[in-house]
Amino acid sequence: MTLLLFAATLAGDGTVTLSLAEWEAMLDAASRVVDRPAAPARYSQVDRSVDGAFERGVFTGVLTVRVRALDIDGGLRIPVLSDSASIARVSLDGRATSLLAEGGSYTVAVDSLGDHLVRVEFFVGAEDVRFVRRLSLQMPPAGPTRVSIFVPETGIDADLAHGALSSVRPEGSGTRIVGQLDGAGTLDLGWTSQHPSTDTPARMEVREHVLFTLHEALVRGVAAFDVRVLEGEVGRVRFRVPEGVEIVDVTGEAVLQWKTDGGELVVLSRYLIADATKLQVHFQLPVDAGAPVTLKAPLPLDGPPISGALGVQGPAGFAASTRSVTGAEPMRELPSELAALTPNPLLLGFALTGEPVVVLDVTRQAEMTLSTTSIDEMEAATVLIEDGPEITRMQLHVRNETQPWLSVALPEGAVLTHARVDGRSIRPAQARDGHTMLFPLPQSQRYGAGQSQEWTVRDGDTLGGLADRFYGDPSRWDELLRQNYDVLGGAEGLTVGQRLVFAPVEA
């Protein structure tokens, strides 16, 4: 549609006066205008919905879109989702397909007219985001979109910026938020906690067990806290973080999110704690080579009564001795809570009597040359034949690291009849001395560069922690999720006992 505007003189009584030339010019201009209708739409959206769950900054969801293809000449690609999301699985009319990222959106190819159902499993966000109570996702503009989202908090107030909420109801340990988006396709959901404040602070007691692991230039630690609320209730727990200590992760059944603010660690719980909870704080601190090592750990900020123990472990070849200690005293028998943090023997152990400050002298033992190939077990049996010969059968269990062969010296006069390595018949080479045989050895299997690795999920494991263990980078958690999506089903699907397989570590 074209709009023509002309200037004219407006009289006081509301009439407009034009000269004849002006009127004819206006009619001539209007006759030359041709309305060009907009190009017909090639597809339309019939309906759309988003279902999923939000956990520690990551939303794992399923987008279901029913579209109607109206024109497929020259190929038709329909945008379905912003390319900021990570895609796990896609299906078109029940058959697996793929999406193409173009122009800021993921698109799906449709090759026939009529209605089609697109289903996309995806996740968006970052696991290391702290105290996130907002979910943002962009979809192409279309008709109304139904959303159903689970958040792991109870007692919340929710707000849907580009739509309307129909219900916010408790569901299990969290809340189900249901609503409708407008045609803009923008999902912008935020929520706040209704945890009431109280003028009377809660009274707590804390039992803390800390395990330090010594490395060349780093000390890693895990502090296991058993928090008991004696009076009142708490929705967050605060800890003091000593200077130089970096918090890596916080885990626990009641832990929703955490953040560090200066020298303080704030842990937000999924619900108000009125009795007790357990959590683990994983941290690390740098050390100077050759200098005394001062052990530091997070401590409850508000000064509740504290008790527990502190242990030190290190790799083989390390020795540690106590230079000074305050707030703790050496102990002979380790509590079960401290022993449960590691299967390895401890170098030192201390019982907490206050705020612990332990300074160690750490030295490396003298290096020794070790055999690269060892025989773990040997079995031999000899049979004496009636007419005099002896037949001996020997079986060796060998652990090999680098050697290409195993040298075996046969007794004088002995003849080798046959040999097998790992069930395969082989013909050994003969050394120059004439009686020593060289048996080829495969390298014993070990995990490392170029080999896949398996892991059985333990209590307290997180995707970020596993990425740090295997790749040395917690931010690569999404790679682990994609590799094991058939087992996990989403970022919140990590459970004890699952067997995960990780891609080889790059050499």
Side-chain angles (χ1 to χ4, degrees):
M1 179 178 68
T2 302
L3 179 64
L4 296 178
L5 298 177
F6 296 91
T9 302
L10 181 65
D13 59 358
T15 62
V16 176
T17 302
L18 293 175
S19 67
L20 180 60
E22 290 173 329
W23 175 251
E24 290 176 343
M26 184 180 70
L27 293 178
D28 182 61
S31 66
R32 293 195 300 269
V33 174
V34 178
D35 285 339
R36 294 180 175 86
R42 303 189 65 195
Y43 67 91
S44 65
Q45 176 184 297
V46 179
D47 57 62
R48 181 169 63 186
S49 65
V50 177
D51 295 86
F54 187 87
E55 178 77 14
R56 293 189 180 185
V58 178
F59 176 69
T60 303
V62 176
L63 169 66
T64 304
V65 185
R66 188 177 300 277
V67 294
R68 181 167 298 155
L70 306 174
D71 179 7
I72 60 173
D73 288 345
L76 176 61
R77 299 201 66 90
I78 301 175
V80 294
L81 186 65
S82 166
D83 62 5
S84 63
S86 297
I87 306 301
R89 291 191 184 92
V90 185
S91 66
L92 175 63
D93 298 329
R95 297 185 299 274
T97 187
S98 59
L99 300 179
L100 177 64
E102 51 184 347
S105 297
Y106 283 116
T107 63
V108 62
V110 174
D111 58 6
S112 62
L113 299 174
D115 287 1
H116 299 275
L117 182 65
V118 183
R119 188 176 188 274
V120 182
E121 298 178 24
F122 68 96
F123 49 94
V124 64
E127 189 183 41
D128 60 351
V129 176
R130 314 301 180 210
F131 281 10
V132 174
R133 287 195 173 108
R134 180 163 295 278
L135 168 61
S136 297
L137 178 68
Q138 185 62 53
M139 295 168 286
T145 302
R146 186 188 69 87
V147 295
S148 177
I149 298 169
F150 175 83
V151 297
E153 289 186 79
T154 57
I156 64 172
D157 290 322
D159 175 66
L160 193 59
H162 296 273
L165 295 174
S166 56
S167 68
V168 180
R169 62 180 185 273
E171 182 178 302
S173 61
T175 302
R176 174 68 61 178
I177 303 173
V178 180
Q180 291 280 343
L181 301 182
D182 60 23
T186 301
L187 172 56
D188 188 2
L189 174 66
W191 61 95
T192 57
S193 173
Q194 295 177 352
H195 288 177
S197 59
T198 174
D199 295 334
T200 305
R203 288 198 310 112
M204 300 184 298
E205 65 178 12
V206 180
R207 188 166 173 81
E208 178 177 7
H209 294 87
V210 190
L211 174 67
F212 291 94
T213 302
L214 304 177
H215 297 278
E216 289 283 357
L218 191 72
V219 173
R220 295 185 183 272
V222 54
F225 292 95
D226 185 353
V227 180
R228 299 186 180 275
V229 180
L230 305 179
E231 182 179 341
E233 52 189 15
V234 294
R236 63 185 63 199
V237 185
R238 303 159 65 212
F239 300 92
R240 179 163 52 84
V241 180
E243 184 179 358
V245 171
E246 177 189 2
I247 304 300
V248 177
D249 198 8
V250 180
T251 59
E253 180 181 354
V255 175
L256 175 65
Q257 297 177 75
W258 60 272
K259 71 174 181 179
T260 54
D261 185 7
E264 181 178 339
L265 166 66
V266 182
V267 181
L268 182 67
S269 65
R270 298 174 184 269
Y271 45 79
L272 288 174
I273 302 169
D275 46 11
T277 189
K278 296 179 183 290
L279 57 93
Q280 288 190 351
V281 178
H282 302 260
F283 60 94
Q284 61 187 23
L285 60 151
V287 296
D288 296 328
V293 176
T294 301
L295 302 182
K296 312 173 188 177
L299 294 169
L301 182 65
D302 297 325
I306 184 172
S307 61
L310 180 154
V312 181
Q313 67 175 357
F318 271 61
S321 59
T322 304
R323 169 175 286 215
S324 65
V325 56
T326 58
E329 56 185 23
M331 61 190 312
R332 293 182 177 273
E333 296 185 5
L334 300 178
S336 58
E337 296 93 339
L338 185 60
L341 296 177
T342 177
N344 302 319
L346 298 184
L347 303 176
L348 299 167
F350 302 89
L352 301 184
T353 59
E355 181 175 334
V357 178
V358 179
V359 182
L360 304 179
D361 288 319
V362 180
T363 58
R364 177 180 287 279
Q365 305 284 14
E367 295 186 0
M368 298 179 61
T369 301
L370 301 177
S371 173
T372 56
T373 301
S374 60
I375 298 174
D376 292 336
E377 184 179 353
M378 183 181 72
E379 299 176 1
T382 300
V383 177
L384 178 61
I385 305 302
E386 187 174 345
D387 56 356
E390 295 180 358
I391 299 178
T392 299
R393 178 182 181 276
M394 179 179 293
Q395 180 172 292
L396 304 174
H397 294 271
V398 182
R399 182 170 65 250
N400 179 47
E401 295 293 342
T402 60
Q403 292 298 326
W405 61 76
L406 176 68
S407 300
V408 177
L410 299 180
E412 186 176 353
V415 176
L416 181 68
T417 58
H418 61 277
R420 293 176 179 271
V421 175
D422 291 339
R424 180 173 57 88
S425 295
I426 58 99
R427 183 181 180 86
Q430 191 172 41
R432 293 180 180 179
D433 59 15
H435 66 274
T436 299
M437 313 300 293
L438 303 179
F439 292 83
L441 290 180
Q443 186 171 337
S444 298
Q445 181 179 4
R446 57 180 177 176
Y447 292 130
Q451 293 181 312
S452 296
Q453 306 181 60
E454 290 188 357
W455 181 260
T456 300
V457 178
R458 305 173 182 174
D459 185 26
D461 280 348
T462 65
L463 287 175
L466 293 178
D468 184 44
R469 173 187 290 270
F470 289 103
Y471 295 148
D473 184 357
S475 68
R476 295 177 65 180
W477 64 270
D478 55 335
E479 297 179 31
L480 307 187
L481 177 58
R482 284 194 293 270
Q483 295 161 22
N484 296 274
Y485 201 86
D486 56 336
V487 176
L488 299 174
E492 78 285 356
L494 199 67
T495 58
V496 174
Q498 291 173 323
R499 294 187 64 82
L500 307 181
V501 178
F502 301 138
V505 178
E506 295 181 1

PDB file of all heavy atoms in Angstrom, residues 111-128:
ATOM      1  N   ASP A 111      11.204 -30.871   2.522  1.00  0.00           N
ATOM      2  CA  ASP A 111      11.164 -31.144   1.079  1.00  0.00           C
ATOM      3  C   ASP A 111       9.789 -31.561   0.570  1.00  0.00           C
ATOM      4  O   ASP A 111       9.648 -32.059  -0.544  1.00  0.00           O
ATOM      5  CB  ASP A 111      12.188 -32.227   0.714  1.00  0.00           C
ATOM      6  CG  ASP A 111      11.962 -33.523   1.483  1.00  0.00           C
ATOM      7  OD1 ASP A 111      10.948 -33.615   2.213  1.00  0.00           O
ATOM      8  OD2 ASP A 111      12.795 -34.430   1.353  1.00  0.00           O
ATOM      9  N   SER A 112       8.738 -31.377   1.386  1.00  0.00           N
ATOM     10  CA  SER A 112       7.385 -31.710   0.923  1.00  0.00           C
ATOM     11  C   SER A 112       6.388 -30.745   1.540  1.00  0.00           C
ATOM     12  O   SER A 112       6.605 -30.197   2.622  1.00  0.00           O
ATOM     13  CB  SER A 112       7.027 -33.157   1.297  1.00  0.00           C
ATOM     14  OG  SER A 112       7.023 -33.332   2.695  1.00  0.00           O
ATOM     15  N   LEU A 113       5.267 -30.528   0.834  1.00  0.00           N
ATOM     16  CA  LEU A 113       4.232 -29.638   1.313  1.00  0.00           C
ATOM     17  C   LEU A 113       3.462 -30.267   2.465  1.00  0.00           C
ATOM     18  O   LEU A 113       3.495 -31.479   2.675  1.00  0.00           O
ATOM     19  CB  LEU A 113       3.275 -29.290   0.169  1.00  0.00           C
ATOM     20  CG  LEU A 113       3.888 -28.565  -1.044  1.00  0.00           C
ATOM     21  CD1 LEU A 113       2.847 -28.432  -2.150  1.00  0.00           C
ATOM     22  CD2 LEU A 113       4.414 -27.197  -0.629  1.00  0.00           C
ATOM     23  N   GLY A 114       2.760 -29.431   3.205  1.00  0.00           N
ATOM     24  CA  GLY A 114       1.919 -29.929   4.283  1.00  0.00           C
ATOM     25  C   GLY A 114       2.537 -29.719   5.642  1.00  0.00           C
ATOM     26  O   GLY A 114       3.526 -29.004   5.812  1.00  0.00           O
ATOM     27  N   ASP A 115       1.946 -30.367   6.669  1.00  0.00           N
ATOM     28  CA  ASP A 115       2.383 -30.203   8.050  1.00  0.00           C
ATOM     29  C   ASP A 115       3.572 -31.103   8.361  1.00  0.00           C
ATOM     30  O   ASP A 115       3.636 -32.258   7.912  1.00  0.00           O
ATOM     31  CB  ASP A 115       1.238 -30.535   9.006  1.00  0.00           C
ATOM     32  CG  ASP A 115       0.169 -29.443   8.995  1.00  0.00           C
ATOM     33  OD1 ASP A 115       0.332 -28.474   8.232  1.00  0.00           O
ATOM     34  OD2 ASP A 115      -0.813 -29.578   9.749  1.00  0.00           O
ATOM     35  N   HIS A 116       4.510 -30.565   9.170  1.00  0.00           N
ATOM     36  CA  HIS A 116       5.696 -31.315   9.589  1.00  0.00           C
ATOM     37  C   HIS A 116       5.950 -31.036  11.067  1.00  0.00           C
ATOM     38  O   HIS A 116       5.726 -29.914  11.550  1.00  0.00           O
ATOM     39  CB  HIS A 116       6.923 -30.911   8.768  1.00  0.00           C
ATOM     40  CG  HIS A 116       6.775 -31.173   7.300  1.00  0.00           C
ATOM     41  ND1 HIS A 116       7.042 -32.392   6.729  1.00  0.00           N
ATOM     42  CD2 HIS A 116       6.370 -30.349   6.291  1.00  0.00           C
ATOM     43  CE1 HIS A 116       6.833 -32.325   5.423  1.00  0.00           C
ATOM     44  NE2 HIS A 116       6.407 -31.093   5.136  1.00  0.00           N
ATOM     45  N   LEU A 117       6.446 -32.060  11.766  1.00  0.00           N
ATOM     46  CA  LEU A 117       6.739 -31.929  13.194  1.00  0.00           C
ATOM     47  C   LEU A 117       8.253 -31.972  13.395  1.00  0.00           C
ATOM     48  O   LEU A 117       8.913 -32.940  13.033  1.00  0.00           O
ATOM     49  CB  LEU A 117       6.083 -33.054  13.993  1.00  0.00           C
ATOM     50  CG  LEU A 117       6.277 -32.997  15.513  1.00  0.00           C
ATOM     51  CD1 LEU A 117       5.593 -31.761  16.091  1.00  0.00           C
ATOM     52  CD2 LEU A 117       5.748 -34.262  16.187  1.00  0.00           C
ATOM     53  N   VAL A 118       8.801 -30.894  13.966  1.00  0.00           N
ATOM     54  CA  VAL A 118      10.230 -30.794  14.261  1.00  0.00           C
ATOM     55  C   VAL A 118      10.420 -30.885  15.773  1.00  0.00           C
ATOM     56  O   VAL A 118       9.749 -30.170  16.531  1.00  0.00           O
ATOM     57  CB  VAL A 118      10.814 -29.466  13.741  1.00  0.00           C
ATOM     58  CG1 VAL A 118      12.321 -29.416  13.988  1.00  0.00           C
ATOM     59  CG2 VAL A 118      10.504 -29.281  12.267  1.00  0.00           C
ATOM     60  N   ARG A 119      11.319 -31.754  16.192  1.00  0.00           N
ATOM     61  CA  ARG A 119      11.609 -31.925  17.622  1.00  0.00           C
ATOM     62  C   ARG A 119      13.114 -31.752  17.832  1.00  0.00           C
ATOM     63  O   ARG A 119      13.918 -32.458  17.205  1.00  0.00           O
ATOM     64  CB  ARG A 119      11.160 -33.294  18.117  1.00  0.00           C
ATOM     65  CG  ARG A 119      11.261 -33.481  19.636  1.00  0.00           C
ATOM     66  CD  ARG A 119      10.707 -34.840  20.035  1.00  0.00           C
ATOM     67  NE  ARG A 119      10.607 -34.993  21.469  1.00  0.00           N
ATOM     68  CZ  ARG A 119      11.617 -35.424  22.251  1.00  0.00           C
ATOM     69  NH1 ARG A 119      12.785 -35.733  21.691  1.00  0.00           N
ATOM     70  NH2 ARG A 119      11.450 -35.547  23.551  1.00  0.00           N
ATOM     71  N   VAL A 120      13.502 -30.803  18.696  1.00  0.00           N
ATOM     72  CA  VAL A 120      14.912 -30.484  18.928  1.00  0.00           C
ATOM     73  C   VAL A 120      15.222 -30.625  20.416  1.00  0.00           C
ATOM     74  O   VAL A 120      14.590 -29.967  21.247  1.00  0.00           O
ATOM     75  CB  VAL A 120      15.241 -29.048  18.461  1.00  0.00           C
ATOM     76  CG1 VAL A 120      16.724 -28.750  18.665  1.00  0.00           C
ATOM     77  CG2 VAL A 120      14.844 -28.839  17.007  1.00  0.00           C
ATOM     78  N   GLU A 121      16.189 -31.476  20.750  1.00  0.00           N
ATOM     79  CA  GLU A 121      16.704 -31.569  22.112  1.00  0.00           C
ATOM     80  C   GLU A 121      17.963 -30.712  22.185  1.00  0.00           C
ATOM     81  O   GLU A 121      18.894 -30.904  21.395  1.00  0.00           O
ATOM     82  CB  GLU A 121      17.021 -33.025  22.482  1.00  0.00           C
ATOM     83  CG  GLU A 121      15.800 -33.937  22.447  1.00  0.00           C
ATOM     84  CD  GLU A 121      16.152 -35.374  22.772  1.00  0.00           C
ATOM     85  OE1 GLU A 121      17.190 -35.587  23.441  1.00  0.00           O
ATOM     86  OE2 GLU A 121      15.418 -36.275  22.345  1.00  0.00           O
ATOM     87  N   PHE A 122      18.025 -29.786  23.122  1.00  0.00           N
ATOM     88  CA  PHE A 122      19.117 -28.823  23.157  1.00  0.00           C
ATOM     89  C   PHE A 122      19.420 -28.428  24.589  1.00  0.00           C
ATOM     90  O   PHE A 122      18.678 -28.748  25.527  1.00  0.00           O
ATOM     91  CB  PHE A 122      18.740 -27.573  22.351  1.00  0.00           C
ATOM     92  CG  PHE A 122      17.635 -26.760  22.982  1.00  0.00           C
ATOM     93  CD1 PHE A 122      17.911 -25.673  23.785  1.00  0.00           C
ATOM     94  CD2 PHE A 122      16.300 -27.108  22.778  1.00  0.00           C
ATOM     95  CE1 PHE A 122      16.904 -24.934  24.374  1.00  0.00           C
ATOM     96  CE2 PHE A 122      15.278 -26.384  23.363  1.00  0.00           C
ATOM     97  CZ  PHE A 122      15.580 -25.291  24.164  1.00  0.00           C
ATOM     98  N   PHE A 123      20.529 -27.743  24.758  1.00  0.00           N
ATOM     99  CA  PHE A 123      20.821 -27.125  26.044  1.00  0.00           C
ATOM    100  C   PHE A 123      21.520 -25.798  25.787  1.00  0.00           C
ATOM    101  O   PHE A 123      22.189 -25.603  24.765  1.00  0.00           O
ATOM    102  CB  PHE A 123      21.646 -28.021  26.966  1.00  0.00           C
ATOM    103  CG  PHE A 123      22.868 -28.631  26.354  1.00  0.00           C
ATOM    104  CD1 PHE A 123      24.100 -28.018  26.468  1.00  0.00           C
ATOM    105  CD2 PHE A 123      22.791 -29.836  25.670  1.00  0.00           C
ATOM    106  CE1 PHE A 123      25.230 -28.579  25.915  1.00  0.00           C
ATOM    107  CE2 PHE A 123      23.920 -30.414  25.123  1.00  0.00           C
ATOM    108  CZ  PHE A 123      25.150 -29.782  25.240  1.00  0.00           C
ATOM    109  N   VAL A 124      21.352 -24.872  26.735  1.00  0.00           N
ATOM    110  CA  VAL A 124      21.890 -23.525  26.576  1.00  0.00           C
ATOM    111  C   VAL A 124      22.307 -23.014  27.948  1.00  0.00           C
ATOM    112  O   VAL A 124      21.696 -23.349  28.964  1.00  0.00           O
ATOM    113  CB  VAL A 124      20.836 -22.589  25.928  1.00  0.00           C
ATOM    114  CG1 VAL A 124      19.629 -22.417  26.822  1.00  0.00           C
ATOM    115  CG2 VAL A 124      21.439 -21.239  25.577  1.00  0.00           C
ATOM    116  N   GLY A 125      23.381 -22.224  27.977  1.00  0.00           N
ATOM    117  CA  GLY A 125      23.882 -21.682  29.237  1.00  0.00           C
ATOM    118  C   GLY A 125      25.258 -22.212  29.546  1.00  0.00           C
ATOM    119  O   GLY A 125      25.899 -22.887  28.741  1.00  0.00           O
ATOM    120  N   ALA A 126      25.747 -21.930  30.740  1.00  0.00           N
ATOM    121  CA  ALA A 126      27.066 -22.362  31.184  1.00  0.00           C
ATOM    122  C   ALA A 126      26.975 -22.816  32.633  1.00  0.00           C
ATOM    123  O   ALA A 126      26.401 -22.131  33.473  1.00  0.00           O
ATOM    124  CB  ALA A 126      28.082 -21.232  31.048  1.00  0.00           C
ATOM    125  N   GLU A 127      27.558 -23.971  32.933  1.00  0.00           N
ATOM    126  CA  GLU A 127      27.429 -24.549  34.264  1.00  0.00           C
ATOM    127  C   GLU A 127      28.134 -23.726  35.331  1.00  0.00           C
ATOM    128  O   GLU A 127      27.739 -23.745  36.491  1.00  0.00           O
ATOM    129  CB  GLU A 127      27.988 -25.976  34.274  1.00  0.00           C
ATOM    130  CG  GLU A 127      27.696 -26.723  35.562  1.00  0.00           C
ATOM    131  CD  GLU A 127      28.318 -28.098  35.586  1.00  0.00           C
ATOM    132  OE1 GLU A 127      29.469 -28.224  35.138  1.00  0.00           O
ATOM    133  OE2 GLU A 127      27.656 -29.039  36.029  1.00  0.00           O
ATOM    134  N   ASP A 128      29.164 -22.972  34.958  1.00  0.00           N
ATOM    135  CA  ASP A 128      29.912 -22.247  35.972  1.00  0.00           C
ATOM    136  C   ASP A 128      29.318 -20.881  36.306  1.00  0.00           C
ATOM    137  O   ASP A 128      29.915 -20.120  37.047  1.00  0.00           O
ATOM    138  CB  ASP A 128      31.370 -22.067  35.535  1.00  0.00           C
ATOM    139  CG  ASP A 128      31.493 -21.289  34.239  1.00  0.00           C
ATOM    140  OD1 ASP A 128      30.457 -21.042  33.607  1.00  0.00           O
ATOM    141  OD2 ASP A 128      32.622 -20.944  33.867  1.00  0.00           O
TER     142      ASP A 128
END
